[in-house]
Amino acid sequence: MSVVDVDVQETWPVTVIEFVEHWAVQVASSTSYAADLAIPLEADEEFREILAGHELRAYHATRLLDHEGEMIRSQGLRLLTVELVEERLRMAIRAGVISAQDAGQLLVDNVFARGLAANRQNQVCLLLSDHTLRNDTRALGKLLLLWGGEAMYKESHVVRPLLAQLGRPAVVTALLDVDERSGRHKFYPALTRYFVGALLGLKRSSADVFFKSPIAPGAIERVAQPGDDWYDQFLDLPRQ
């Protein structure tokens, strides 16, 4: 399958270009922001059909312990579940980077233990575009600064000093298979609006992807951390 990168129009197949240009003609000069384009959400159904058979490049911002990068390369990106949180803690203890006491604190302070995981579980969160990495790192929040992601730090400030000491920042590049069943995956702003905005050169915010399927290891393009040329091109990303 060919890779489609919203930021690199040379990767867009002819069918994608024709579809995006069709909508661009209709909404040109209507707004300065891609997210505000008056394109009906129903257009995304047709656009996803056009994208079937291609892979969308996307980015997962996180913070990884030394062994976790290799895990992603060998296992891919797994859905966020309480089992994944517990497994990461067990492996962190085994690696000697946290104590059993620290792990116990993290077990009672994560979003699953607090009953607040409804909008985060059973999905992989990504960015559709490298725009955020390049131009708007504030939109990343604490993802590159605190280990464990929002599942671990979102609902408790108590654990943040510990999480800040763990791991190193990382950006995982993944290739998403958008098929006929992909309506269950969520894109904000909608895919069509974001692609049209890119074609028209409109102001773009972070493009969030909530992917409802695990991402296989063969779809992991890279796991980049400080010191890698690819990571270091983004000058505002944290280095430690």
Side-chain angles (χ1 to χ4, degrees), residues 119-139:
N119 294 322
R120 295 183 178 88
Q121 63 184 344
N122 297 320
Q123 61 189 13
V124 181
C125 296
L126 308 106
L127 304 166
L128 181 63
S129 165
D130 72 9
H131 170 85
T132 301
L133 307 176
R134 212 173 284 284
N135 302 304
D136 188 17
T137 55
R138 290 176 301 176

Side-chain angles (χ1 to χ4, degrees), residues 4-65:
V4 178
D5 189 325
V6 68
D7 300 309
V8 184
Q9 293 177 22
E10 291 78 11
T11 67
W12 298 7
V14 172
T15 50
V16 168
I17 294 173
E18 291 175 345
F19 182 85
V20 173
E21 287 181 341
H22 164 77
W23 282 106
V25 169
Q26 298 190 49
V27 299
S29 302
S30 62
T31 179
S32 298
Y33 297 91
D36 294 336
L37 288 169
I39 299 174
L41 296 179
E42 291 77 11
D44 262 28
E45 296 178 12
E46 182 179 353
F47 194 30
R48 292 181 195 221
E49 292 179 5
I50 291 171
L51 287 168
H54 305 286
E55 293 176 308
L56 283 177
R57 181 173 283 128
Y59 309 94
H60 177 68
T62 187
R63 194 171 178 90
L64 300 175
L65 300 174

Side-chain angles (χ1 to χ4, degrees), residues 4 19 40-41 48 75-76 81 90 98 105 108 124 127 138 143 152 159 162 170 178 180 189 202 205 211 216 232-233:
V4 178
F19 182 85
L41 296 179
R48 292 181 195 221
Q75 300 179 16
T81 62
R90 286 195 300 272
I98 61 172
Q105 182 67 52
V108 299
V124 181
L127 304 166
R138 290 176 301 176
L143 292 172
M152 207 76 79
V159 298
L162 169 62
V178 179
E180 68 277 5
L202 301 183
S205 58
F211 208 68
D232 289 345
Q233 70 177 303

Side-chain angles (χ1 to χ4, degrees), residues 94-164:
R94 196 176 307 145
V97 296
I98 61 172
S99 66
Q101 181 178 356
D102 288 336
Q105 182 67 52
L106 294 171
L107 276 173
V108 299
D109 270 325
N110 66 74
V111 295
F112 290 99
R114 289 170 171 260
L116 299 169
N119 294 322
R120 295 183 178 88
Q121 63 184 344
N122 297 320
Q123 61 189 13
V124 181
C125 296
L126 308 106
L127 304 166
L128 181 63
S129 165
D130 72 9
H131 170 85
T132 301
L133 307 176
R134 212 173 284 284
N135 302 304
D136 188 17
T137 55
R138 290 176 301 176
L140 295 172
K142 303 292 185 181
L143 292 172
L144 294 174
L145 299 175
L146 301 176
W147 180 74
E150 289 190 348
M152 207 76 79
Y153 72 75
K154 188 65 175 177
E155 300 303 330
S156 174
H157 290 271
V158 173
V159 298
R160 292 190 179 192
L162 169 62
L163 299 177

